[in-house]
């Protein structure tokens, strides 16, 4: 009996192997096309992990990485005891959460509104205008934002006309308003681009669902709420997991270009901290320790969000 079971399992294993090789032969062109991307990931994402050894050494520029003094976790202790790092971590999390909420709500809302537009020319015009800022570098975008929010800019002129304020306010120099300015500017730059993927998902929804709902007397809002949004839940869950995994990646260029001495305590992120207190001061081991901390926390957040989605019965990455 045991011999028969062994033969059956062996045949099943051979059958799976044959199916695998058959699929490889059928998709050999796709696999060949993926080789450059796999090579890119290996060279630029996995090979640099060797440099993480610097975080446990007193690394000196130009020396052999294996010939430096090993100091264990001293750089990590120094990092966690630094009050500036705690402040920077607060700023990073605050701006990331604001960008996450604003980004999701604005892009989904824009996609829903565009999906309801029946005039194709107007729809294409709005799409083009909304995603053009994505292709503008933050150097140019920051100058536009500073002009718009300046004392004689459009925003202050509008607020004065509406009698909301009595005198112009330099919003980018208000510490408590800086996080929200980052969120608003990020929405302006990325909302159109982020809405594209939701529009693509909406185009895959079965039209018969809308027809059946219309026969039952459902209006546009009811169809959006009962058909469009539920159909997009798997996509929203996947994108949310991916964005939660990047919560400590609040940005660098945006904050670096828009901050000034008035808001520096609210503007510095982990990336700016690494540049300012690590690389610029030739503290490469300290900078590496900060980078490792960021990467490890991002991995923990990604896995936790994925497991939470799994328990809730939603789509997940793995």
């Amino acid at each position: 009996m045991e011999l028969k079971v062994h033969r059956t399992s062996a045949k099943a294993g051979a059958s799976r192997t044959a199916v695998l090789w058959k699929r490889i032969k059928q998709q050999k062109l796709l696999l060949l096309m993926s080789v450059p991307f796999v090579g890119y990931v290996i060279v630029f994402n996995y090979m640099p992990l060797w440099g993480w050894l610097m975080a446990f050494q007193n690394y000196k520029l130009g020396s052999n990485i294996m010939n430096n003094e090993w100091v264990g976790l001293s750089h990590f202790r120094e990092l966690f005891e630094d009050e500036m790092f705690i402040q920077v971590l607060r700023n990073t999390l605050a701006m990331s959460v604001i960008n996450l909420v604003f980004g999701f709500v604005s892009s989904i809302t824009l996609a829903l509104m565009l999906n309801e537009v029946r005039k194709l020319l107007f729809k294409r015009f709005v799409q083009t205008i909304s995603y053009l800022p994505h292709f503008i570098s933050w150097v140019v975008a920051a100058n536009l934002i500073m002009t718009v929010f300046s004392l004689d800019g459009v925003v202050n002129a509008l607020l004065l006309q509406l009698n909301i304020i009595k005198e112009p306010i330099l919003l980018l120099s208000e510490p408590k308003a800086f996080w929200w300015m980052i969120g608003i500017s990020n929405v302006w730059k990325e909302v159109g681009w982020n809405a594209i993927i939701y529009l693509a998902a909406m185009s895959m929804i079965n039209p018969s669902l809308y027809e059946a709902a219309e026969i039952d007397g459902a209006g546009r809002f009811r169809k959006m709420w009962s058909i469009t949004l539920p159909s997009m839940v798997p996509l929203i869950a996947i994108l949310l997991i991916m964005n939660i995994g990047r919560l400590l990646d609040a940005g660098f260029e945006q904050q670096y270009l828009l901050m000034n001495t008035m808001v520096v305590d609210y503007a510095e992120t982990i990336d700016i901290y690494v540049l300012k207190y690590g690389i610029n001061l030739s503290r490469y081991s300290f900078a590496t320790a900060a980078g490792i901390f960021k990467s490890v926390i991002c991995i923990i957040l990604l896995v936790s969000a994925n497991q939470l989605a799994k328990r809730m019965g939603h789509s997940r990455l793995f």
Side-chain angles (χ1 to χ4, degrees):
M1 184 67 178
E2 292 181 1
L3 181 59
K4 186 176 180 180
V5 172
H6 178 72
R7 287 178 177 176
T8 303
S9 60
K11 288 181 179 179
S15 177
R16 286 195 296 268
T17 303
V19 171
L20 176 61
W21 280 108
K22 185 179 179 180
R23 288 182 178 177
I24 290 175
K25 290 179 180 179
Q26 290 175 344
Q27 301 179 7
K28 58 183 178 181
L29 291 178
L30 292 175
L31 292 173
L32 187 62
M33 291 172 59
S34 67
V35 169
F37 302 102
V38 173
Y40 176 87
V41 171
I42 292 174
V43 172
F44 293 99
N45 291 86
Y46 285 98
M47 289 180 64
L49 292 179
W50 173 258
W52 278 15
L53 292 175
M54 290 191 298
F56 308 96
Q57 304 172 332
N58 279 329
Y59 178 76
K60 296 180 181 179
L61 187 63
S63 62
N64 190 315
I65 195 170
M66 299 303 296
N67 295 334
N68 289 281
E69 179 188 359
W70 293 88
V71 295
L73 299 175
S74 63
H75 293 299
F76 290 93
R77 285 194 293 268
E78 182 182 357
L79 184 69
F80 299 141
E81 292 172 357
D82 187 2
E83 294 182 0
M84 181 63 69
F85 178 73
I86 304 301
Q87 178 177 291
V88 165
L89 184 61
R90 177 206 65 181
N91 297 341
T92 303
L93 288 173
M95 284 185 276
S96 291
V97 171
I98 291 173
N99 287 337
L100 180 65
V101 175
F102 279 19
F104 264 85
V105 173
S106 60
S107 56
I108 293 173
T109 303
L110 178 62
L112 288 171
M113 294 172 64
L114 288 174
N115 191 54
E116 295 299 317
V117 175
R118 296 293 175 260
K119 293 184 178 180
L120 187 59
L121 184 62
F122 178 74
K123 181 178 180 179
R124 288 179 176 176
F125 174 77
V126 173
Q127 277 186 277
T128 303
I129 294 299
S130 62
Y131 70 63
L132 273 179
H134 172 79
F135 299 99
I136 301 175
S137 69
W138 269 115
V139 176
V140 177
N143 280 281
L144 292 174
I145 294 167
M146 286 188 287
T147 301
V148 169
F149 287 102
S150 63
L151 292 175
D152 55 349
V154 176
V155 173
N156 272 301
L158 180 62
L159 294 177
L160 287 171
Q161 287 292 328
L162 296 175
N163 293 322
I164 297 177
I165 59 174
K166 295 183 179 180
E167 57 183 16
I169 302 174
L170 194 57
L171 292 172
L172 290 175
S173 295
E174 292 290 331
K176 294 183 179 180
F178 186 81
W179 292 346
W180 305 102
M181 293 296 101
I182 291 293
I184 292 170
S185 61
N186 194 64
V187 167
W188 164 74
K189 194 172 186 299
E190 302 295 340
V191 63
W193 184 258
N194 293 335
I196 292 175
I197 190 170
Y198 296 111
L199 288 169
M202 291 176 190
S203 66
M204 302 299 293
I205 299 175
N206 192 344
S208 61
L209 296 175
Y210 293 106
E211 294 171 2
E214 193 170 348
I215 292 173
D216 291 338
R220 286 192 175 185
F221 181 79
R222 174 53 63 183
K223 286 187 286 187
M224 282 192 295
W225 185 260
S226 301
I227 299 175
T228 308
L229 281 176
S231 300
M232 292 168 57
V233 167
L235 173 64
I236 294 174
I238 292 294
L239 293 177
L240 186 60
I241 292 171
M242 294 174 65
N243 280 276
I244 288 176
R246 296 197 296 263
L247 266 183
L248 292 186
D249 191 15
F252 171 81
E253 289 181 316
Q254 185 181 9
Q255 290 82 358
Y256 191 78
L257 293 167
L258 291 176
M259 74 176 181
N260 51 66
T261 55
M262 301 286 289
V263 297
V264 67
D265 290 339
Y266 289 81
E268 288 186 345
T269 61
I270 292 179
D271 293 332
I272 297 175
Y273 176 86
V274 169
L275 174 66
K276 189 174 179 180
Y277 300 101
I279 297 174
N280 285 350
L281 299 178
S282 298
R283 301 169 68 194
Y284 301 107
S285 296
F286 182 78
T288 305
I292 291 176
F293 168 81
K294 177 182 172 182
S295 298
V296 170
I297 296 300
C298 286
I299 292 172
I300 292 173
L301 289 172
L302 179 65
V303 174
S304 301
N306 189 76
Q307 290 301 314
L308 181 61
K310 181 180 178 180
R311 291 186 178 181
M312 296 177 65
H314 294 302
S315 300
R316 58 189 188 276
L317 288 175
F318 48 87

